[in-house]
Amino acid sequence: VISLHIGQAGVQMGAAAWQLYCLEHGIGDDGHHRVDTDVPAPCPTFFRETPSGKFVPRSLFVDLEPSVVDVVRGGDHRRLFHPDQLLSGKEDAANNYARGFFTVGRDMTDRTMEQIRKLAEQSDSLQGFMVMNSAAGGTGSGLGARLLQQLRSEYGRTLCLQLCVQPSPNVSSAAVEPYNGVLHHGNTGDVKGVCFLMQNEAGYKVCQRQLDIERPSYHNLNEIASQVASSLTSSLRFKGSLNVDLAEFQMNLVPFPTLRYPLVSYGPLRSPEKMFCERLSVSDITRECINGDSQLACVRPETGKYMACALLYRGDVTPADVCKSMAALKSQRSVQFVDWCPTGLKVGINNAKPTVLPGSKIAAVTRSTCLLYNSTAVAQSWSRMSQQFDLLMAKRAFVHWFVGEGMEEGEFAEARENLAALEKDYEEAGMDTVDENDDAMSAGTVDEY
């Protein structure tokens, strides 16, 4: 599995994720496996072992400006990564999708694809790509969309697993985030794979409510994102009684090719002070994820219907505990599945307990779960982003900056239409089909007799 970290958000999430991977596998800052730990040596899925015994991540960090990647180059893990796998340009995208896709990002695309080809050649059997980016910024949305299209053309049958930060409804760092989000998703809808959606605003609320952090920072959000990434990949890195691979994510969470945007919830998220006074069972952490207390997207899941759902358990969890949790889950009124897929549940159980970063605000626990669910409620996110896009477009605000970078105005309308079609697909997926079938059967019976 090759990991791609694109733009500021992707690079920062990637740095936190790889720091966590190294802790879980007992790898030191220099890439060598520590002899003073009882953790087994890492599997070759995410690390490549050199003849000297060093483990090098199969990853690539890409940004159009150097400052964020320079933090990785000069950080504690600077000896862990190969220098050729830390790519940066000299001029950023300035929150402009067109700069990331057309002008500045075009030169970086060739360099990036060359490194991806080298990483792919070093793999015995390439399972897929894991991409981290933000659809709100210029590099993450523009260069991210361009690289995803290149991966689709060169590695068409290879799965792509994407952790994408969506523009938030009320919190933003740039006025043109709705443009970037619509253009990114409008031009990557045909990419093969799964795209898990997260939003900073939801992460801030989780930090304030669950972790007692009064003023959360990007560092806190990256810690949570690293825990999600670790849960997604734990079955590929550790042994378990019921493991889930990349292909199973797509098979069980994407009922139709266009509906490939599940939401994420992770639990338990507690501060060390709270965790000292609590003892959470498997049912408790499952209920916490289902109720939306630790949901990482600004949607109301109770207003939609589940099309598919995956629960990834880690640590001290037995199949018997999971069966009890599943029975309690199905009895909740707030959990409604579409009538054409009433048993859309997938479960993964991994024996490796979760780890936390040093000095983390997240308490260390013996068990955790990550809920991935594809719900019709995600249409709320598309609808809000479309409304913000329409408000800007009605005044043609900021459009000249995009057109000045070589983008045509017709691409705005095309991306908006693609997103409207996606929103409609989600709404139609939640419509009941039983009544329609009953009407058709009744009509057929009348005609027959």
Side-chain angles (χ1 to χ4, degrees), residues 47-67:
F47 291 89
R48 176 176 57 86
E49 187 176 6
T50 65
S52 62
K54 179 179 178 179
F55 291 92
V56 181
R58 301 182 188 273
S59 65
L60 194 62
F61 292 78
V62 186
D63 198 5
L64 294 180
E65 57 100 17
S67 62

Side-chain angles (χ1 to χ4, degrees), residues 324-343:
K324 291 181 182 178
S325 300
M326 293 300 99
L329 171 62
K330 292 180 179 179
S331 64
Q332 290 190 23
R333 287 188 174 183
S334 60
V335 180
Q336 292 186 3
F337 281 86
V338 290
D339 58 358
W340 46 265
C341 188
T343 57

